[in-house]
Amino acid sequence: MTTEQPLSEVLDQILIDEETLQARIAELGAQISRDYAGVNNLLLACVLKGGVVFLTDLMRHITVPHTIDFLAVSSYGQNIRETTGIVRIDMDLRCNIDGLNVLIVEDIIDSGTTLAYIRRMLQARNPASIKICTLLSKPSRRIVNVDIDYIGFDIPNKFVFGYGLDLDELYRNLPYIGVARPGASAEVS
Ligand code: IMP
Ligand code: MG
């Protein structure tokens, strides 16, 4: 069983509150709806697990017809706050994306390693187009350059959690983006 630390032990500050998040997500949805107007084969490809909360809110602001699918990747180990640089596909998309307009939906782009890898992998499958939508981006951390089409918020180089993003797999249910206290660990040890 997991015993979660009280939030006061791990949360340094709220970086983006719920209202600000939701307002920006509505804007992104409207912009995506304008950009894909008339398109009838849009696929939202959500990167699990972190992207799932963002996806479910975002898709309700997208007015063009679309389908959704999921893939899961990992580049982090438990308790490691830095990318290993090695990306592993834990679960692939179920659908064939040949000829589809694919919009990758991701929680955060940090070094860029994960997204560059996913884009390259999906590009080889002959989609009509690929674009990237990320809720958060840490531009100062970029190692691999990736073109991002939609960014919710640029954020500073701090470890954040909540709204789909985890701290040691916990706290994904928070409705806001919080900054972790330096050295914070989610489980009571
Ligand atoms: P990248 O490959 O370095 O761009 O890392 C991307 C992945 O690392 C994201 O999809 C997240 O899962 C994770 N990640 C990066 N920064 C954070 C953070 O501040 N909080 C939680 N997860 C993060
Ligand atoms: Mg992620």
Side-chain angles (χ1 to χ4, degrees):
M1 218 194 76
T2 302
T3 310
E4 193 175 274
Q5 292 270 21
L7 202 47
S8 56
E9 292 292 313
V10 294
L11 179 67
D12 188 26
Q13 53 157 311
I14 294 177
L15 186 65
I16 309 170
D17 65 28
E18 184 172 3
E19 197 187 338
T20 309
L21 267 181
Q22 292 300 333
R24 180 68 185 127
I25 292 165
E27 274 177 14
L28 286 173
Q31 192 188 342
I32 291 165
S33 302
R34 282 195 299 275
D35 293 353
Y36 286 92
V39 170
N40 64 5
N41 58 359
L42 172 62
L43 170 73
L44 305 182
C46 174
V47 186
L48 295 175
K49 305 171 193 166
V52 73
V53 179
F54 177 41
L55 171 81
T56 56
D57 281 340
L58 178 69
M59 66 189 284
R60 283 177 277 182
H61 294 284
I62 298 180
T63 53
V64 295
H66 60 271
T67 53
I68 61 172
D69 202 353
F70 300 89
L71 72 161
V73 297
S74 48
S75 63
Y76 274 50
Q78 175 85 351
N79 295 327
I80 299 173
R81 308 264 194 269
E82 299 271 315
T83 180
T84 56
I86 299 162
V87 181
R88 194 181 67 197
I89 302 294
D90 294 327
M91 187 187 95
D92 204 342
L93 295 173
R94 290 203 192 179
C95 68
N96 179 354
I97 61 168
D98 190 348
L100 300 188
N101 289 285
V102 178
L103 180 61
I104 300 171
V105 178
E106 171 67 301
D107 53 357
I108 185 166
I109 302 185
D110 187 31
S111 70
T113 316
T114 308
L115 247 296
Y117 183 92
I118 292 173
R119 177 187 277 236
R120 208 176 331 114
M121 179 181 82
L122 297 185
Q123 193 70 61
R125 300 178 188 178
N126 207 29
S129 68
I130 295 192
K131 285 192 185 183
I132 294 174
C133 176
T134 186
L135 179 64
L136 306 173
S137 171
K138 291 183 192 167
S140 67
R141 298 261 305 166
R142 211 69 93 245
I143 296 171
V144 181
N145 187 43
V146 271
D147 290 333
I148 314 172
D149 302 279
Y150 306 97
I151 300 178
F153 303 88
D154 278 324
I155 63 167
N157 178 17
K158 293 193 169 149
F159 194 86
V160 294
F161 67 107
Y163 196 76
L165 294 99
D166 70 301
L167 185 68
D168 305 332
E169 290 296 328
L170 294 169
Y171 308 106
R172 294 188 196 270
N173 53 322
L174 297 177
Y176 51 78
I177 300 288
V179 176
R181 286 191 181 206
S185 163
E187 280 182 46
V188 175
S189 50

